[in-house]
Amino acid sequence: MSLIDLANPSRFSAVTARVLPWLIVATILAFAVGGVQTYFAPDDYQQGATVKIMFIHVPAAWLGIAAWGVMSAAALGTLVWRHPLADVAAKAAAPIGAAFTLMCLLTGSLWGRPMWGTYWVWDARLTSVLVLFLLYLGVIALWHTIDDPTLAARAAAVFTLVGAINIPIIKFSVEWWNTLHQGASVFRIGGSAIHPSILVPLIGMLTAFTLLFLTLHLAAMRNEILRRRLRTMLLMKADAAARA
Amino acid sequence: MMQIAAEGLACNRGGREVFCDLHFLVSSGEMLAVTGPNGAGKSSLLRLVAGLVRPCQGRLSLQGGDPELSIGEQAHYVGHQDALKPSLSVQENLAFWSAFLGGNGEIAAPLARVGLGSLAHVPARYLSAGQRRRLSLARLIAVERPIWLLDEPASSLDAAGQRALAELMEAHVARGGLILAAIHGSQPQPAKELKLGGGPGVIGGYMGTIAQEYPA
Amino acid sequence: MMQIAAEGLACNRGGREVFCDLHFLVSSGEMLAVTGPNGAGKSSLLRLVAGLVRPCQGRLSLQGGDPELSIGEQAHYVGHQDALKPSLSVQENLAFWSAFLGGNGEIAAPLARVGLGSLAHVPARYLSAGQRRRLSLARLIAVERPIWLLDEPASSLDAAGQRALAELMEAHVARGGLILAAIHGSQPQPAKELKLGGGPGVIGGYMGTIAQEYPA
Amino acid sequence: MRPLSALLVRDIRLAVRVGGGALVGVLFFLIVVTLVPFAIGPDLPLLSRIGPAVLWLGALLATLLGLDRLLASDYEDGSLDLLLTGSTPLELAVAIKALAHWLTTAVPLVVAAPLLGLLLNVDLGASWAVSLTLLAGTPALTFIGLIGAALTVALRRGGVLLAVLILPLNIPVLIFGVAASNAATAGTVPFGGAFLILCALSLMSLVVGPVAAAIALRQGLD
Amino acid sequence: MRPLSALLVRDIRLAVRVGGGALVGVLFFLIVVTLVPFAIGPDLPLLSRIGPAVLWLGALLATLLGLDRLLASDYEDGSLDLLLTGSTPLELAVAIKALAHWLTTAVPLVVAAPLLGLLLNVDLGASWAVSLTLLAGTPALTFIGLIGAALTVALRRGGVLLAVLILPLNIPVLIFGVAASNAATAGTVPFGGAFLILCALSLMSLVVGPVAAAIALRQGLD
Ligand code: HEM
Ligand SMILES: Nc1ncnc2c1ncn2[C@@H]1O[C@H](COP(=O)(O)OP(=O)(O)OP(=O)(O)O)[C@@H](O)[C@H]1O
Ligand SMILES: Nc1ncnc2c1ncn2[C@@H]1O[C@H](COP(=O)(O)OP(=O)(O)OP(=O)(O)O)[C@@H](O)[C@H]1O
Ligand SMILES: [Mg+2]
Ligand SMILES: [Mg+2]
């Protein structure tokens, strides 16, 4: 079967119903592996055990950003093809992305205490992530204050695309300004600059978090589809009552 | 038995005189149809009676009725704007005005009467022009007040709606109510008529004179 | 020679269906009177033709006329709301719309035509309901456009105003113009009629069938 | 009583439906608080010093934002005419509307203030005092604003002009509000005095605001 | 051309008649500038340090105040329908409206900034630079705000929700605006870099704003 068939909501829920259990299993396994790797990862000679925060912090940050990317793609789907599934995808992604971003903020500031001697500094990277978090909250607020779902979807889509401008700012803030926060060392042109003993578990956790995101997102999308079915059924019942 | 008497009323708006030296007398069980060309001062007169515009001359007096309430407080004013909040549902809109204007919380019946029963839970934003008008007319039913001040109440109502409105007004007059209505063209029922825009107007046999504006 | 053809038009608003499977054909020199009870979908239809509401099914096509302009861009839309700014004077209001909609800066004549010549310098805030309506109708004269979409144009006009409006519409049709007008009760002139609110409507002999909605 | 409660419920409902509820309100203040550090630069001691001031400016801003619609929307859709034909005195009606505005704009701030204080690293104990001063002082902002709202209707003006009319009257409130807060945070000046004056200002505006607004509206009648 | 100039003139005229012209605008900023010393206490070195920030916050505030009416008023009185039946593309029309809003809110500030700077004892030379940054940066504030204005119309929402959507997007503008100003006043960081980014932001929002706003409006059509 092709992606086109997947685009049909009922078909989509049918397929996801079959895929989800496997995804869940895969996620658990990945976390097990990543966890073990993290446990055996060597402590940093100056950061000590706190370096292990990184194995949550970086994936969280990465997914916080990636979720907005997913929403932006979905936004295009909403505006250009007016596809209901795109609306659902966008709506489902927002809270998850917000959660990951918050996790990034929290772990980051926890890490900042030993490293920088403070929980929070108004440095470019940190602030741009905070802005991302605020944007997430804004989108969620949009979704929840508008009762008509299609209207909400389109408005949120416009807003998401505009907000996407923030993503490169986050990514390159470390290059553009001399921030306290350290620059990219994992993903960067000319290969990674981290010792494998750190890099391997980091990759492990990245995959685990990504799988987790996939699982949560698909599940949330299924719920949203069901919720909409319910709403339309109620509307139709109301109209029937009005006609009679 | 109520009576609204106007003696030598004059009204200025935006610095220009709208009408002057207006005399009329309406008593309960009567309907006074205020007619005249656009800009003659119909709405101004109604707003003046409702206490929303100050007369610059003359006096407006109410015999009978509740002495410590003003005319406006005993009257329904249905103007060109229907005081509806788009984001509130039809029912919420009516319920609020009923509560504020001192009606008995009965909502369903008035809504059904104006034919909006099935739209009770729709936001007022979604209403069509006629439906909005019907909703603002529902106030007349939801809250019992002796004096009705209606400014082109039939505008954007369909034939059925206009008939229903006419019945409503007849019933009110029959119940001993008192109506001042600004209307264009044919009035819904035989009534005293006050033609504006034709110089000083006198109506209702006040001061013993029957004006030539009296309906032939 | 222009023609607006609707094939199987359907319209949803706020999630509920207003009308569906609507067919009609209007060509220049004709006026289509859209009638029906309150909430039947008259305004919705006009807004749909003007391009202010999206049809959820069916297609609306324009033969003749300027190919690279949409229907809305060749049409005058006069809706329930008269797009007037209270703080601008009558003349400023009309002048702006004339300039924006691409008229020849002629203002005085249209104002005189609708009987507002004497009020040219009054802020629109001060206008009475009928005067406001007259001012928004003045757009029809100030800017030359082939298609007129009029939503209850006669509302709150006095007798004289209604007559003037009828003449205006007749003249436009005679000039080869094309009018869709939502009206209640009697139409100002013999015209095709499209009754809404009675199930799927077909009018104008499109697809060879004359519907029972055709005026007897 | 019933008319007033109905009006209160309706206005709160409108505010929530249009503005999006208390959570959005809190979100707004969160943003304001994050904005300031950009503006004045990341300097923690300074931040903690002007923290209360920032919260107060936020309150002022939030009050201003909704203000020009507070009565204007009712005027434009004809609700005001009917409010006048009701048997409730206009003074009370506008007071209730102002109350609704206060409940939907200021209260979220009062509740969130301690949390926001942390971001401006005002320590928790002091934050409580700050939110107390906000609770005592914000009514003054709203009810003085009410006068401006009435003027916008009476004069058919709005936008910045309204702010220009209101802000000077708000200055004393701001002074004493911030003074009281600073007294609580820094503990230099005695807290009690400024706080009492703040309460006095609120009580006064609770009376003056509605009366003045009602007069302005009646004058604007036509 | 003629339609656009007509629209521009009309919107400016409306802003002046309703909001009360450039002088009121300047007066507004004057008040904002005088408010701050009250809020943070009279501390001259501090004032001069945060002077530019205050001006920028003032600009942000002024932009926000008129914003929710920018398109909403046209929507409510039906003007928006006619704007759509005009032959000018919607993107251009809304851009012109935003331009009018900018001319009537931001420009008075730009002109008055040097004068206001004196009150915040920013020395004159630096003040010029500050007003230059305002000139370069405020368009971004307005045109990002335009998106919010369109969303409020499309969603029939307003008030604080609008601010919540706009402000996060305005943060970068504010950062660079203040950074550039500080560079000019303190002369620590190079002025050029931040200023260029500021111009870039303005140019970007000049494109993104109207397009996004037009999309939002079209989506909100019914
Ligand atoms: C609240 C404070 C913090 C926030 C919001 C934050 C945010 C981020 C973000 C957005 C990334 C980028 C992930 C990506 O490029 O996809 C990141 C990566 C990273 N952060 Fe943080 N961070 C914070 C604090 C810290 C602290 C205190 C440290 C330790 C010194 C730290 C170390 C790192 C490292 C090592 C990376 C990986 C960089 C790379 O290899 O690309 N972060 N953080
Ligand atoms: N903006 C809107 N959103 C959702 N539904 C709407 C909207 N406007 C109108 N409707 C609904 O669509 C239906 C048709 O409305 P419309 O205004 O077209 O009726 P109409 O024929 O013009 O009635 P009237 O004679 O009262 O003007 C009504 O039932 C109304 O509830
Ligand atoms: N708010 C106002 N301020 C100043 N002048 C006004 C105001 N409203 C109306 N006018 C003027 O007063 C005159 C009468 O207005 P009014 O609305 O009473 O007329 P009307 O008889 O209701 O007309 P219509 O039949 O069009 O409703 C008009 O010439 C109008 O220009
Ligand atoms: Mg009238
Ligand atoms: Mg209609």
Side-chain angles (χ1 to χ4, degrees), chain A residues 47 50-51 53-54 57-66 101-116 118-121 123-130 132 170-175 180-188 192-194 199 202 206:
Chain A
Q47 300 186 14
T50 55
V51 72
I53 296 180
M54 174 163 110
H57 171 74
V58 178
W62 191 72
L63 279 167
I65 295 170
T101 313
L102 183 62
M103 196 188 297
C104 164
L105 283 167
L106 292 180
T107 52
S109 44
L110 282 181
W111 201 359
R113 189 69 191 147
M115 299 314 300
W116 305 335
T118 169
Y119 287 112
W120 187 261
V121 291
D123 120 315
R125 162 61 64 87
L126 274 59
T127 4
S128 52
V129 174
L130 186 60
L132 178 65
I170 295 177
K171 195 75 187 119
F172 299 111
S173 50
V174 277
E175 279 79 14
L180 257 181
H181 193 284
Q182 78 175 82
S185 43
V186 177
F187 316 94
R188 68 176 195 184
S192 169
I194 302 187
L199 184 58
L202 187 57
L206 273 179

Side-chain angles (χ1 to χ4, degrees), chain B residues 83 85 88 90-103 107 143, chain D residues 2-11 13 74 79 82-83:
Chain B
K85 293 295 176 188
L88 296 183
V90 167
Q91 171 183 344
E92 286 167 337
N93 271 296
L94 185 57
F96 163 66
W97 283 123
S98 160
F100 188 83
L101 299 175
I107 299 304
V143 181
Chain D
R2 191 144 147 284
L4 294 184
S5 59
L7 184 58
L8 184 66
V9 171
R10 170 236 202 190
D11 268 28
R13 210 178 248 152
D74 277 348
S79 299
L82 294 190
L83 289 179

Side-chain angles (χ1 to χ4, degrees), chain B residues 38-39 41-44 80 151-152 182 184, chain C residues 128-130 156:
Chain B
N38 292 139
K42 301 181 292 296
S43 303
S44 303
H80 289 302
D151 198 347
E152 298 180 33
H184 284 129
Chain C
S128 77
S156 77

Side-chain angles (χ1 to χ4, degrees), chain C residues 53-137:
Chain C
V53 173
R54 262 188 230 80
C56 69
Q57 269 177 41
R59 48 189 294 277
L60 194 71
S61 58
L62 174 72
Q63 292 95 350
D66 188 332
E68 57 256 17
L69 291 184
S70 70
I71 297 184
E73 288 166 358
Q74 306 178 50
H76 275 300
Y77 172 76
V78 178
H80 289 300
Q81 307 144 300
D82 34 39
L84 303 177
K85 293 295 177 189
S87 53
L88 296 184
S89 76
V90 166
Q91 169 183 344
E92 287 167 337
N93 270 296
L94 185 57
F96 164 66
W97 283 123
S98 160
F100 187 84
L101 298 175
N104 59 349
E106 181 55 67
I107 299 304
L111 279 184
R113 180 83 182 277
V114 296
L116 293 179
S118 62
L119 294 174
H121 297 291
V122 174
R125 175 184 306 116
Y126 291 174
L127 295 185
S128 77
Q131 290 165 334
R132 299 177 64 84
R133 170 57 50 151
R134 286 161 180 263
L135 181 48
S136 50
L137 288 173

Side-chain angles (χ1 to χ4, degrees), chain C residues 72-77 94-104 136 139-140 142-145, chain E residues 2-4 6 79 81-88:
Chain C
E73 288 166 358
Q74 306 178 50
H76 275 300
Y77 172 76
L94 185 57
F96 164 66
W97 283 123
S98 160
F100 187 84
L101 298 175
N104 59 349
S136 50
R139 288 203 309 267
L140 299 174
V143 181
E144 181 63 40
R145 288 193 169 193
Chain E
R2 190 145 147 286
L4 293 184
S79 299
D81 297 341
L82 294 189
L83 289 179
L84 285 163
T85 64
S87 47
T88 21

Side-chain angles (χ1 to χ4, degrees), chain B residues 18 36 38 40 42 53 59 61 76 91 94 117 120 132 140 145 147 163-164 166 189 210:
Chain B
V18 176
N38 292 139
K42 301 181 292 296
V53 173
R59 48 189 294 277
S61 59
H76 273 300
Q91 171 183 344
L94 185 57
R132 297 177 66 84
L140 300 174
R145 288 193 168 191
I147 306 170
R163 243 177 285 108
Q189 71 193 77
I210 303 292

